[in-house]
Amino acid sequence: GSTQRTWEEEELIHTAMSTLSSKIVNQYRRHLAEICVKAVLSVADLPRKDVNLDLIKVEGKPGGRMEDTCLVNGIVLDKDISHPQMVKDIQDAKIAILTCPFEPPKPKTKHKIDISTSEQYDKLHAQEQEYFTKMVKLCKDSGATLVICQWGFDDEANHLLMANQLPAIRWVGGVEIELIAIATGGRIVPRFEELSEAKLGKAGRVREVPFGTTKDRMVFIENCSNSKAVTIFVRGGNKMIVEEAKRSIHDALCAVRNLVRDNRIVYGGGAAEIAASLAVHTAADKISTVQQYAVRAFADALEAVPIALADNSGLRAIETLTNVKAAQLATSNPHLGIDCMDAGTNDMKEQGVYETLIGKVQQLRLATQMTKMILKIDDVITDEA
């Protein structure tokens, strides 16, 4: 985007890009990172430093290209408008959200009607028509300009809705109905008689979007009145790519959320682990008892991360680690790490590789707890230690 971004947003985007760089989607990491940051900031409660990730829905549809992935300011439904001749784009929509079927009432018991003359048939037909006309009239009278129904409806009802210029969407699942109700500030109505203008949801725009020449269509409900709910709409060559992109986007969303919660960062490329290892070694020198060996072992264990990084990058692990360690000691610069991308510098600050402090602390805590758990099984650690 060409819009001017603040320095903070740029930093968030860089963090999301670091997260995405090791995934399949790394060619489009800038585009996806911007979408993730926009999504998190639009639902974040910044004064409380909290982000409700449930408000960010990640929907995917195979087809198109990865760069077609976009952020929808609202909700995306994998449904289409029920009649091809209904209006496909509704501005300032007032939405009636129904959980009752659009069909004549049926008795629960088994029943049959004997029709012997054409008059009786006409009468039955007229009665059905009356039901439908009444239902459509109730919807129209409430001021609704769009009907969203949890169940299906007859072709007859569909035709009547079309004739009354009342677009409708049918077979919308329960979870989605609830999300729409929350986002648009509408009430879910179980009976036609209870419809009123106060129970309608409001959205700035509802539109049906076709995809290419296929029959695939989706409905976008945008600029909802009540909620900050957003949808990241992922496109990709096939189902596998779309699913992988969804997982990558979830990782990036979590990284950005962590930064909103706590904006402290550490540098990647093993720099943080090497600096921590050196600090623990220094602390071990001050311990006079046997415990210093356990502390030194912990410091050595921290070096497993940079070694693995160097290994995976095809570098000589021990040699690379020793050089970086020596450089950190000599310059007291904790930003020096393994140059995995062969960028020509070991300074991770220059390379822009960093991750959240919350994430890093959590990883080390988890690893330490796992080790303690395994050692406890063999009674190696007693409680005194």
Side-chain angles (χ1 to χ4, degrees):
S2 56
T3 50
Q4 198 59 45
R5 285 201 172 75
T6 61
W7 175 80
E8 288 97 334
E9 276 181 34
E10 214 32 76
E11 293 302 303
L12 287 172
I13 289 169
H14 269 297
T15 312
M17 280 169 69
S18 291
T19 311
L20 293 168
S21 58
S22 58
K23 313 269 194 293
I24 290 181
V25 296
N26 66 344
Q27 283 168 295
Y28 313 109
R29 61 174 187 253
R30 173 83 208 184
H31 177 58
L32 294 179
E34 284 178 13
I35 286 176
C36 290
V37 170
K38 247 193 214 157
V40 169
L41 289 179
S42 58
V43 304
D45 185 351
L46 291 175
R48 281 179 47 215
K49 290 194 171 181
D50 193 28
V51 180
N52 181 3
L53 279 188
D54 292 341
L55 290 173
I56 304 175
K57 205 166 164 225
V58 184
E59 277 282 334
K61 192 130 185 106
R65 301 170 306 170
M66 187 76 77
E67 331 47 322
D68 296 338
T69 298
C70 61
L71 181 68
V72 180
N73 191 4
I75 296 166
V76 176
L77 288 180
D78 196 356
K79 295 276 177 284
D80 53 1
I81 286 174
S82 60
H83 196 293
Q85 287 170 314
M86 286 176 178
V87 189
K88 304 290 186 208
D89 191 335
I90 307 146
Q91 301 286 348
D92 294 327
K94 293 191 175 72
I95 305 169
I97 305 166
L98 303 173
T99 53
C100 42
F102 241 100
E103 47 193 37
K106 295 188 179 96
K108 293 276 185 285
T109 53
K110 283 198 170 171
H111 63 287
K112 67 181 191 202
I113 300 172
D114 291 326
I115 294 173
S116 47
T117 62
S118 62
E119 285 82 26
Q120 285 177 332
Y121 185 81
D122 288 342
K123 197 174 168 190
L124 181 70
H125 183 239
Q127 202 163 359
E128 271 196 4
Q129 284 285 2
E130 195 188 318
Y131 273 126
F132 287 137
T133 323
K134 194 175 153 199
M135 288 173 185
V136 175
K137 188 173 182 306
L138 282 166
C139 293
K140 198 81 181 156
D141 289 350
S142 67
T145 53
L146 171 70
V147 177
I148 293 180
C149 189
Q150 192 173 358
W151 305 102
F153 31 74
D154 275 329
D155 295 341
E156 193 93 17
N158 209 2
H159 171 74
L160 266 175
L161 285 165
M162 196 271 299
N164 280 288
Q165 276 118 32
L166 198 58
I169 305 167
R170 54 185 164 183
W171 299 121
V172 179
V175 180
E176 286 163 328
I177 279 248
E178 283 176 20
L179 199 64
I180 293 168
I182 293 167
T184 59
R187 300 287 292 276
I188 296 173
V189 181
R191 284 200 298 276
F192 285 99
E193 289 74 22
E194 293 179 16
L195 254 178
S196 67
E197 194 169 349
K199 292 185 178 177
L200 299 181
K202 292 181 180 58
R205 186 181 184 198
V206 178
R207 60 194 171 104
E208 183 182 273
V209 182
F211 295 113
T213 51
T214 58
K215 275 184 160 175
D216 270 345
R217 298 188 188 88
M218 289 182 104
V219 175
F220 286 28
I221 302 174
E222 296 170 310
N223 305 331
C224 303
S225 64
N226 194 16
S227 159
K228 300 186 288 188
V230 293
T231 305
I232 296 176
F233 184 48
V234 185
R235 305 303 308 274
N238 57 32
K239 200 163 185 236
M240 190 189 81
I241 295 285
V242 171
E243 289 303 316
E244 183 54 41
K246 276 187 181 177
R247 282 189 287 275
S248 310
I249 283 172
H250 184 261
D251 281 1
L253 287 173
C254 291
V256 178
R257 178 193 60 181
N258 284 351
L259 264 187
V260 171
R261 284 184 171 172
D262 182 350
N263 58 7
R264 289 176 294 177
I265 55 164
V266 290
Y267 287 90
E273 281 84 359
I274 295 171
S277 169
L278 290 172
V280 174
H281 264 302
T282 315
D285 294 340
K286 296 173 185 160
I287 299 171
S288 54
T289 58
V290 180
Q291 278 186 345
Q292 63 169 299
Y293 293 107
V295 178
R296 283 187 207 287
F298 188 86
D300 293 341
L302 282 169
E303 291 170 4
V305 174
I307 283 180
L309 272 175
D311 254 346
N312 291 343
S313 310
L315 305 166
R316 290 180 181 158
I318 306 293
E319 194 179 313
T320 314
L321 175 67
T322 318
N323 291 344
V324 175
K325 218 169 157 181
Q328 272 211 24
L329 270 173
T331 58
S332 312
N333 179 2
H335 306 158
L336 300 178
I338 311 287
D339 180 15
C340 300
M341 306 300 278
D342 204 20
T345 170
N346 285 91
D347 195 327
M348 292 296 136
K349 196 169 185 178
E350 276 177 45
Q351 283 200 32
V353 178
Y354 40 71
E355 59 179 305
T356 57
L357 176 68
I358 297 184
K360 184 60 77 187
V361 168
Q362 200 63 36
Q363 291 159 19
L364 294 177
R365 271 198 193 132
L366 193 62
T368 311
Q369 281 169 0
M370 281 296 297
T371 317
K372 277 165 74 176
M373 201 168 83
I374 292 165
L375 290 175
K376 267 187 183 172
I377 293 168
D378 298 336
D379 290 337
V380 177
I381 292 185
T382 54
D383 283 343
E384 292 89 70

